[in-house]
Amino acid sequence: MNPRESLPETPPIPDVQSTVDHRNLSIDDVGIRSIRYPMRVLDRDGEPAATVAVCNMYVELPEHVKGTHMSRFIELLQIWKEPVSVVSLEGLVRDMCERLLSHSGRIEFAFPFFRNKAAPVSGVESLLDYEVVLMGELRQGVFTRTLKVVVPVTSLCPCSKRISAYGAHNQRSHVTVTVQAAQAVWIDELIDIVEGQASAELFGILKRADEKFVTERAYDNPKFVEDTVRDVSALLEADARVSRYVVEAENFESIHNHSAYAVIKGPKHR
Amino acid sequence: MNPRESLPETPPIPDVQSTVDHRNLSIDDVGIRSIRYPMRVLDRDGEPAATVAVCNMYVELPEHVKGTHMSRFIELLQIWKEPVSVVSLEGLVRDMCERLLSHSGRIEFAFPFFRNKAAPVSGVESLLDYEVVLMGELRQGVFTRTLKVVVPVTSLCPCSKRISAYGAHNQRSHVTVTVQAAQAVWIDELIDIVEGQASAELFGILKRADEKFVTERAYDNPKFVEDTVRDVSALLEADARVSRYVVEAENFESIHNHSAYAVIKGPKHR
Amino acid sequence: MNPRESLPETPPIPDVQSTVDHRNLSIDDVGIRSIRYPMRVLDRDGEPAATVAVCNMYVELPEHVKGTHMSRFIELLQIWKEPVSVVSLEGLVRDMCERLLSHSGRIEFAFPFFRNKAAPVSGVESLLDYEVVLMGELRQGVFTRTLKVVVPVTSLCPCSKRISAYGAHNQRSHVTVTVQAAQAVWIDELIDIVEGQASAELFGILKRADEKFVTERAYDNPKFVEDTVRDVSALLEADARVSRYVVEAENFESIHNHSAYAVIKGPKHR
Amino acid sequence: MNPRESLPETPPIPDVQSTVDHRNLSIDDVGIRSIRYPMRVLDRDGEPAATVAVCNMYVELPEHVKGTHMSRFIELLQIWKEPVSVVSLEGLVRDMCERLLSHSGRIEFAFPFFRNKAAPVSGVESLLDYEVVLMGELRQGVFTRTLKVVVPVTSLCPCSKRISAYGAHNQRSHVTVTVQAAQAVWIDELIDIVEGQASAELFGILKRADEKFVTERAYDNPKFVEDTVRDVSALLEADARVSRYVVEAENFESIHNHSAYAVIKGPKHR
């Protein structure tokens, strides 16, 4: 089916968007932004899970065309019934570019992703939510996938621990990992990497034995934002699939009303 | 099953929360706030739809108890597998109060709700999202359900139309309806009421024939925020099921960088 | 000066808002919302400080009038040059009601408020920001002032401290106090009350000696959300000026990805 | 004064941050984020205006250093008393890098900026607020200043106007211009450029004669997001001071619940 004919227009209505433009300026990205749609997302094991995504969908517009056809982006959301993943995204981006008659385009899906976690001592299960952005971009025939995951963790301050007679300030932190990879890197993998390097990981339900465990675990494992971004980056430096990465840590300091923040952009040693 | 024993605690760990409090102040609401959980929500036709809710769950705490048991709230989210609706919410609130050993409690679920809409001329289908808050409260044995729906619409200014030689400023508006009702009032019903009274309703996909339709429809049907809240309120005044209502309209003015806003709290004539 | 004539209108332009309405529904509040304006706010010592407020300004509209005159609200913001305070707000609300020809109205100003604080050991000074909402309402001739202050603090968990061999989870918390008072209660007073009851207070700058101090102070002074709201409420119960209060505590838990929350609405013992 | 000695530390407290790091990873940016501070900002005419900024301040950290000294960033905010501008920012960034003993660093100040505007017919004056981000970055001795301004405007749809018998949908839009320039480009200049190219500009106060004017002006001047970004970019292409620019337009569509969006990154023809 020709996508241009996918939906009938009453013939005599003028098509302003298709007229010729003379300003001699191509548009890098044009499309729709901040549309919410229910979606299914695949985890590493191929299991689909229902979520709600905020979607941005853009194509490049050549110099000589006045406007794009905005309704076709949403037609694609409406028609697409497969679960979204770091793998299937490429087909969706290519389909969008064909429907919009463009050589380049970009899709960004931001959504909460849930994992079932067992508490460290009691084994009690609960879900934890992670904010994920899945991006796919086609430029000059080359497809790039980018995955961004915000992993909430506990951070405990090494300085506070070292200088205080007892206790140490700690707080919730966001460790955000953004990777570009030719081969698929799964959401779950990035979460595992971050949770393994944090002072402690978070859980929805903690019974008292679990709370004792995570309290002591964080105290045994203090990290500055500098430590967190270095320890996570070291693992990404060693991952051959990762062609580019950004690791950020933001501590919502419990002793201040502002954040401590650090970022490493890599790889630095390849 | 006794909810107190639902999950084992290693015996010798002290239970600080259960100690006696001497400050002589009961706590109106205590619990968990801003936890995200995937959920299924029922529409008017009994069809469940997947969404993601932000949940607040609270109980009343008597004067003599030091603290509540926070993990039990999430155990309930974890165990509860039924779709949520204005009907099923009551059972969930009563279950929560039993598990937390309280006579009073409140649950609030905020989530996007999607409706499939057909464009007015072409009939092309797309989803539209509405922000919904479903609240259930038990106080002294009496259960109150409250439903709040934010309906995005087009508003077109009567003054601008009347005084201008051509055109009229219009903009996206949020009409928010909050109702308390002894009998169930469905999310879909409130959306229908608001969309019927707006200058025009919104759609995800509009083909050109549809865009012409909604443009002319809005111009034929100008409304101030004052008009919108009065017209929606008039329908709620006439609905015998509704015991209390609040109708708000906020126009994100296209000619200003602030909103016009109006609210009616009723009923006024019963 | 007659406020109706404050600004000239070209005579022949129709005044749609002033036409008669027949729907028999008065409007509780109508006006402008979410407008930002620079302002000066008075602290307890009468010192004015520059800030930026987000303003809501509403009046009641009687049944028989179609619409209010939105531009007059902003004319008032434009003309008003005095610093805003819990005292001066009453004059502003009364002026607004006169200009809009209404017996009832409400103004809400939300703004960041800054205090210069000295670190507890080094004495180094820095600013801390607090989110404040100042509300004034006139209904049937009676003026009510409401002051809401969000005080960010450290909270340290008594359960985590008690059950763990070392350490204790702690986090940033928001303690929100809302008071109605016939006599003026100052922003600074509410901040002092909350900071005195928290596990520890926050500072912009902490040198190492200060960081040691606040870490140990928090560990010595653990509080659940339940403790925080009770301890703050006890002081408000004893303050004869306060006719109504709401005390909320929200802990952005460092071991979870959700908040613990408690609220007391009082007074309970007067 | 040596900034390392700017504030005394009690001698025996260990300085964990200054220890040696062996992970062999430099940190691109480390510092504080999301701290609010009152500030004065200069407009084009050299007039300072009070505002409140959200500040991010970072420096580069070499491989061999464990951590930065977070308190020194805020000491700088506390000491700095000059108004901030696209000119004075360079001194502040250089001062920060010296205090933190780093060769590279970045400051970002985000704040509302107010302009007094006269309504187009009545001449009535009111303020309009614009969101501004002022960024200064020092890397390897080279200083780069970046200015970002979000200008809220009216956009009116050319397609809707062309195909409809009467009316045309319009809405509030955000046109965001980000420029890098060796010579100073003032906030006011970017606002003027955007407001001159929009379907219509916004005002705080519009009397009826003004509302007629802006309604008709927008109808006479329809623009897609594609048109807006092209027309603004054409002016920036012609400005020799601008070395890099990004122009974005986001229409908060009045007929949809999502945005139309376009971006041009340039210059394209130099």
Side-chain angles (χ1 to χ4, degrees), chain A residues 16-75:
Chain A
V16 181
Q17 283 86 345
S18 296
T19 57
V20 176
D21 201 274
H22 300 287
R23 279 164 292 193
N24 197 28
L25 281 164
S26 64
I27 295 180
D28 295 83
D29 287 313
V30 58
I32 61 167
R33 191 186 182 99
S34 298
I35 184 166
R36 288 200 289 191
Y37 247 74
M39 261 179 209
R40 286 178 307 144
V41 177
L42 285 190
D43 68 9
R44 179 172 38 188
D45 303 323
E47 283 299 310
T51 189
V52 173
V54 175
C55 314
N56 301 334
M57 305 173 78
Y58 312 125
V59 293
E60 191 178 301
L61 192 73
E63 295 178 357
H64 59 279
V65 183
K66 181 168 174 67
T68 192
H69 287 84
M70 298 286 180
S71 61
R72 292 183 192 165
F73 294 98
I74 304 170
E75 285 171 32

Side-chain angles (χ1 to χ4, degrees), chain B residues 17-139:
Chain B
Q17 284 86 346
S18 297
T19 57
V20 176
D21 202 274
H22 300 287
R23 279 165 292 192
N24 197 27
L25 281 165
S26 65
I27 295 181
D28 296 84
D29 287 313
V30 58
I32 61 168
R33 191 185 181 100
S34 298
I35 184 166
R36 287 201 290 191
Y37 246 75
M39 261 179 210
R40 286 179 306 144
V41 176
L42 285 191
D43 68 9
R44 178 171 38 187
D45 303 324
E47 284 299 310
T51 190
V52 173
V54 175
C55 315
N56 301 336
M57 303 172 78
Y58 312 124
V59 294
E60 191 179 302
L61 193 73
E63 295 178 358
H64 60 280
V65 183
K66 181 168 174 68
T68 193
H69 288 84
M70 298 286 182
S71 61
R72 293 183 192 165
F73 293 98
I74 305 172
E75 284 171 32
L76 183 57
L77 286 180
Q78 193 71 7
I79 291 164
W80 188 266
K81 296 301 176 200
E82 297 302 302
V84 168
S85 75
V86 288
V87 173
S88 71
L89 187 64
E90 181 170 353
L92 193 58
V93 173
R94 290 188 182 276
D95 191 354
M96 174 184 75
C97 288
E98 274 181 36
R99 284 168 186 275
L100 274 299
L101 307 173
S102 181
H103 292 295
S104 300
R106 189 163 91 243
I107 291 180
E108 300 168 349
F109 291 145
F111 52 86
F113 178 83
F114 294 90
R115 290 227 296 184
N116 196 36
K117 300 183 69 170
V121 177
S122 72
V124 174
E125 295 190 347
S126 59
L127 298 184
L128 197 72
D129 60 313
Y130 305 84
E131 194 64 26
V132 172
V133 186
L134 188 55
M135 288 168 274
E137 183 164 22
L138 187 69
R139 292 277 163 197

Side-chain angles (χ1 to χ4, degrees), chain D residues 116-132:
Chain D
N116 196 36
K117 299 182 69 170
V121 178
S122 70
V124 174
E125 296 192 345
S126 59
L127 298 183
L128 198 72
D129 60 314
Y130 306 85
E131 195 64 26
V132 173

